[in-house]
Amino acid sequence: MVTIVENDIVPALLETISKEFDEKTYSSLKLKKALTLLKNKQATYLDVNEFAVEIGEILASVLDANITVSILPDGKMYFNIADRILNSTMAKNHELISNFAVDVQTNLNHAAGLKLKGQKPELNQDRIDGLVNRLSSGESFDDIKWLLDEPLINFSQSIADDAIKRNVDFHFESGLQPKITRRLSGHACDWCKSLAGTYDYPANVPEDLYRRHERCRCTVEYNPKDSRGVQNSHSKKWRAQKQQEKTEQRKLMNIKSRQA
Ligand SMILES: [Zn+2]
């Protein structure tokens, strides 16, 4: 006789979460609006940011409705539950948001007269792992439940930012002079105020340009139409330096792989 090991709640839970997430994203007016703008080639990174926040809010609300103390074994969020649920759902957020960003970027490139495709940012696995670890840290679920709210929205916004990062770097390498703008939204704490502005990449970009405190809805924007300035000696120097760093890194990796 086959013994049935303890009831694994994850497969059924993931199915419900996925179904509700799909229904809510399908009927979201904000997402519909963003997709229409994309279709009409009018979407910008402000729309990518809104798209990201909406996806993040939908995921947070679906998890909030479906993950409760009463369905968790011993009322606890064990590592193997958090790990499977967050990897699956956060990776899906990454796919949806980064694919949207790539299409927006490609349109922006074409509108700026650049025959370049939008580049897709990599999944930030460290952020998922970090959240999984905090969730399964052994505290009572009620104390850590907030981790399934704002941090998921913050993560989703960071995907839009990672798309900018990736494409700005790509454009810089291609000989353009990208400018990135960070704008305040709603509230305005001193830290956010100090970061707002337009910056030449990479020379003047502040270290915290892409960072956000909780519930910060400041936006980061990039439009390559502002990137076609004349190259100056400063940007040439930066490019040369970056190239040098890459070569050094490759050498180092060769040495490491030979040692292995
Ligand atoms: Zn802010």
Side-chain angles (χ1 to χ4, degrees), residues 76-201:
K76 275 186 162 177
M77 179 56 103
Y78 287 104
F79 176 85
N80 84 83
I81 297 176
D83 191 46
R84 283 179 290 164
I85 288 179
L86 289 189
N87 268 293
S88 162
T89 55
M90 289 171 83
K92 187 166 175 180
N93 271 25
H94 173 85
E95 276 306 297
L96 292 170
I97 297 164
S98 62
N99 286 338
F100 184 72
V102 165
D103 290 344
V104 170
Q105 181 70 58
T106 301
N107 284 344
L108 291 173
N109 290 349
H110 291 170
L114 302 165
K115 285 184 182 133
L116 296 171
K117 273 198 71 177
Q119 306 292 301
K120 190 170 171 174
E122 272 174 40
L123 174 66
N124 191 338
Q125 187 65 45
D126 285 350
R127 282 189 72 141
I128 300 180
D129 294 345
L131 204 50
V132 168
N133 284 325
R134 286 171 75 190
L135 263 174
S136 52
S137 63
E139 293 162 66
S140 87
F141 182 64
D142 281 333
D143 290 342
I144 47 151
K145 196 167 177 174
W146 67 275
L147 288 167
L148 294 177
D149 186 19
E150 182 60 21
L152 290 176
I153 299 163
N154 198 292
F155 168 76
S156 299
Q157 284 175 290
S158 79
I159 299 166
D161 295 339
D162 285 347
I164 293 184
K165 234 190 243 174
R166 176 85 213 274
N167 283 280
V168 160
D169 193 59
F170 177 58
H171 286 183
F172 179 72
E173 299 287 334
S174 313
L176 294 159
Q177 284 193 284
K179 289 186 196 329
I180 310 167
T181 300
R182 174 163 168 147
R183 265 184 244 275
L184 298 168
S185 177
H187 75 94
C189 68
D190 287 345
W191 183 72
C192 284
K193 277 183 196 161
S194 75
L195 287 171
T198 296
Y199 306 97
D200 288 314
Y201 176 88

